[in-house]
Amino acid sequence: MSTASTHQSDVFELLPLLEKYNRPGPRYTSYPTAPVFNTSYTAADHEKQLRETSDNISLYVHLPFCDTLCYFCGCTMLVSNNRERVANYLNYLDREIEKTGELVKGKNIIQLHWGGGTPTHLTPTEIRTLGQKLHKHFTFSPDAEISVEIDPREIGEDHIRALADVGFRRASIGVQDIDEKVQEAINRIQPEELTREVIGWCRKNGFESINVDLIYGLPYQSRASFNATVEKVLTFEPDRLALYNFAYVPWLKPHQKLIQIDTLPQTDEKLLLFADATTRFMEAGYDYIGMDHFAKPNDELALARKDGTLQRNFQGYSTRAGRDLVGLGMSAISHIGPSFSQNEKVLDKYYARIDKGELPVIAGLQMTDDDLLREHVIMRLMCDFHLEKAKVEKKYGIEFNTYFADSLERLKELEADGLAINAADAVTITDNGRFFIRNIAMCFDAYLPKMQTAKPMFSKTL
């Protein structure tokens, strides 16, 4: 496994390769990826899988509502300040929780994450009620990891106290950029001191880990302005940092057309933003976990990376590998055993399915043996940066080099650029190759060559 640190000069020396490999590709929060899911997978299939879940479950709850529209957003979300509309959604979510809880009765919830949308768009009372509902219908492990996404712009300390009261101890706080001109261009006005205050509330109320999200490639960002944002964010002393590439996909998210394309940094400038921030985070003592994640060396994410228990799911990198993921709420995705399923993505259709007494599954996938094999290879490369061929051969009964001959042929270009090593016994990602992990994973994706369309289906890798 690669353990050497990447020095400051290395990232900047990679700029020609960063530009070369900046191609559309999946983020591999799952394999196969969501575009492969099909509508022949039914709610009945999902119910069967729920009855057969493992003893330890990771639970995801999707809360889609937001106060305002952030122009960069790529999530499944709805702008609404109609409290009756929010309350109605929570009533339907309660019904899904109750039905799902009965199907997994007795299993342990060892992770819970609320995402959105904006979970903190809920009132403190709604937060407590939903939290209590989940604890009523699911059995939580005493050491369950419970995390939530927070938007500082529309909360008070009462929201944080409510989250703490129902068990939340980890928070992911969206910042994106602190520069006022950038904030105006993306319709997200969030003063630095507001973010600092909310982080203080979290720590005061017992939150053990704070993650801060930043996005590079936003309108009007420059090296000078983004470096200033990075320095200010470091004074927050977050336990984790996420540095996301702005996925400009207006063909998928039409509201992104509200961003003037000529205000976006050009490719070379955008890559310098990435290089600057990555270098600074590592100088400040954060471990590079992979792709867009950084963590302090004593954080659970960094420890999981070191001991080989790191995993990826629909929330990105995560700890405690090996559990089934059960998603609740509109658009939520589950990954249970050899299957994926996704809930209805349109609110009225989500309601209609629940009114019929069904779980609101719209699509999914029953994985093949090839899917399971490639999922293992891709996820271990993305999490460990190293894959021992003999272990794969023993687990799946294949001859690695023969089975993956096409994949290893595609890998040769990255090998020639010093980003991967295909040795007799293992595939290893080099220190420089860590920044190209999506491109390396793409070599082992059996579906990707068949998914060429007029418009890209995925954001660019960098």
Side-chain angles (χ1 to χ4, degrees):
M1 184 181 296
S2 171
T3 57
S5 63
T6 300
H7 300 291
Q8 177 174 351
S9 60
D10 292 338
V11 183
F12 290 94
E13 290 170 0
L14 289 174
L15 285 172
L17 291 179
L18 290 168
E19 186 166 4
K20 174 183 177 180
Y21 288 106
N22 191 23
R23 305 165 180 169
R27 295 181 57 79
Y28 292 111
T29 50
S30 72
Y31 181 86
T33 55
V36 177
F37 298 174
N38 61 76
T39 55
S40 63
Y41 192 93
T42 67
D45 295 322
H46 180 56
E47 286 193 26
K48 179 178 183 295
Q49 291 297 331
L50 284 169
R51 292 188 183 93
E52 298 174 0
T53 54
S54 61
D55 290 336
N56 296 318
I57 296 172
S58 177
L59 200 61
Y60 172 75
V61 179
H62 191 73
L63 300 160
F65 295 104
C66 291
D67 179 71
T68 55
L69 175 64
C70 298
Y71 296 163
F72 63 84
C73 184
C75 302
T76 301
M77 53 77 66
L78 298 164
V79 177
S80 178
N81 287 294
N82 182 329
R83 299 314 306 183
E84 289 184 5
R85 190 181 188 203
V86 175
N88 191 42
Y89 177 79
L90 292 175
N91 287 333
Y92 277 92
L93 181 61
D94 284 351
R95 291 160 66 181
E96 186 187 2
I97 288 169
E98 188 170 348
K99 187 174 180 65
T100 303
E102 188 62 33
L103 290 167
V104 300
K105 195 170 184 176
K107 308 294 178 66
N108 286 319
I109 304 301
I110 62 172
Q111 282 186 318
L112 169 67
H113 183 77
W114 289 8
T118 303
T120 48
H121 188 63
L122 302 188
T123 66
T125 297
E126 288 169 338
I127 288 170
R128 287 189 175 91
T129 301
L130 177 56
Q132 291 163 2
K133 186 81 173 183
L134 289 165
H135 281 273
K136 176 182 177 181
H137 289 284
F138 295 96
T139 303
F140 281 77
S141 173
D143 64 344
E145 180 184 288
I146 305 181
S147 60
V148 61
E149 296 169 13
I150 290 176
D151 183 342
R153 296 174 300 159
E154 51 178 300
I155 64 171
E157 189 173 356
D158 284 351
H159 288 79
I160 303 302
R161 281 194 287 264
L163 290 167
D165 287 347
V166 292
F168 286 93
R169 293 294 181 268
R170 295 180 176 273
S172 184
I173 297 177
V175 173
Q176 323 318 341
D177 197 306
I178 292 175
D179 185 86
E180 291 181 8
K181 188 173 184 180
V182 177
Q183 290 185 357
E184 289 174 3
I186 62 176
N187 198 38
R188 188 185 177 97
I189 306 302
Q190 184 176 321
E192 173 190 350
E193 288 310 312
L194 174 61
T195 302
R196 191 181 302 278
E197 182 178 41
V198 171
I199 290 174
W201 291 339
C202 288
R203 290 185 170 134
K204 175 183 171 184
N205 285 278
F207 279 69
E208 299 163 355
S209 179
I210 305 294
N211 173 79
V212 169
D213 289 344
L214 294 176
I215 297 179
Y216 68 95
L218 293 174
Y220 297 112
Q221 282 180 335
S222 67
R223 291 183 74 186
S225 73
F226 199 56
N227 284 342
T229 284
V230 166
E231 292 303 326
K232 290 173 182 176
V233 166
L234 287 173
T235 68
F236 300 157
E237 299 184 353
D239 302 279
R240 300 177 184 177
L241 287 154
L243 178 65
Y244 294 116
N245 164 30
F246 172 42
Y248 184 65
V249 287
W251 54 90
L252 296 176
K253 300 294 178 179
H255 63 258
Q256 290 187 350
K257 294 175 183 177
L258 294 168
I259 293 176
Q260 298 177 24
I261 193 168
D262 60 355
T263 66
L264 298 176
Q266 297 299 306
T267 299
D268 54 350
E269 179 82 357
K270 183 177 180 180
L271 294 175
L272 285 167
L273 299 178
F274 169 80
D276 285 339
T278 297
T279 297
R280 185 67 187 96
F281 292 154
M282 291 191 292
E283 285 178 346
Y286 289 86
D287 286 352
Y288 180 69
I289 303 301
M291 277 183 59
D292 32 41
H293 286 59
F294 302 79
K296 288 183 176 179
N298 61 348
D299 185 88
E300 277 192 19
L301 206 61
L303 297 176
R305 161 80 179 85
K306 291 168 186 171
D307 67 20
T309 60
L310 192 66
Q311 68 159 8
R312 280 187 69 73
N313 59 27
F314 291 98
Q315 288 79 60
Y317 282 106
S318 179
T319 58
R320 307 186 186 186
R323 89 274 308 127
D324 288 323
L325 171 66
V326 175
L328 300 165
M330 64 172 286
S331 81
I333 296 176
S334 300
H335 183 13
I336 305 170
S339 72
F340 290 96
S341 59
Q342 182 166 27
N343 282 355
E344 289 276 4
K345 294 185 281 187
V346 177
L347 193 60
D348 288 345
K349 293 182 178 180
Y350 171 76
Y351 291 163
R353 296 293 293 274
I354 292 175
D355 281 335
K356 291 179 181 178
E358 302 174 356
L359 289 175
V361 169
I362 187 177
L365 182 76
Q366 193 67 37
M367 299 171 71
T368 66
D369 289 343
D370 180 70
D371 292 336
L372 292 165
L373 167 57
R374 290 177 186 272
E375 177 191 45
H376 174 81
V377 168
I378 288 172
M379 294 306 164
R380 291 338 308 158
L381 284 173
M382 297 199 79
C383 293
D384 303 336
F385 303 142
H386 179 81
L387 185 76
E388 294 183 23
K389 295 178 181 179
K391 288 184 178 179
V392 178
E393 290 174 337
K394 182 178 180 180
K395 183 178 177 70
Y396 292 97
I398 61 156
E399 201 287 314
F400 190 95
N401 289 343
T402 301
Y403 195 96
F404 288 106
D406 290 347
S407 299
L408 296 175
E409 183 65 30
R410 290 192 288 270
L411 189 65
K412 284 182 178 179
E413 180 184 14
L414 293 121
E415 283 188 85
D417 285 325
L419 306 177
I421 300 168
N422 175 28
D425 61 340
V427 176
T428 301
I429 313 304
T430 66
D431 286 331
N432 287 343
R434 295 179 302 165
F435 299 102
F436 302 85
I437 188 61
R438 286 171 73 179
N439 302 83
I440 292 167
M442 286 160 64
C443 296
F444 294 88
D445 187 329
Y447 293 94
L448 201 58
K450 309 168 190 174
M451 295 172 66
Q452 304 303 320
T453 59
K455 292 179 180 178
M457 300 183 72
F458 306 104
S459 63
K460 288 190 174 182
T461 53
L462 294 160

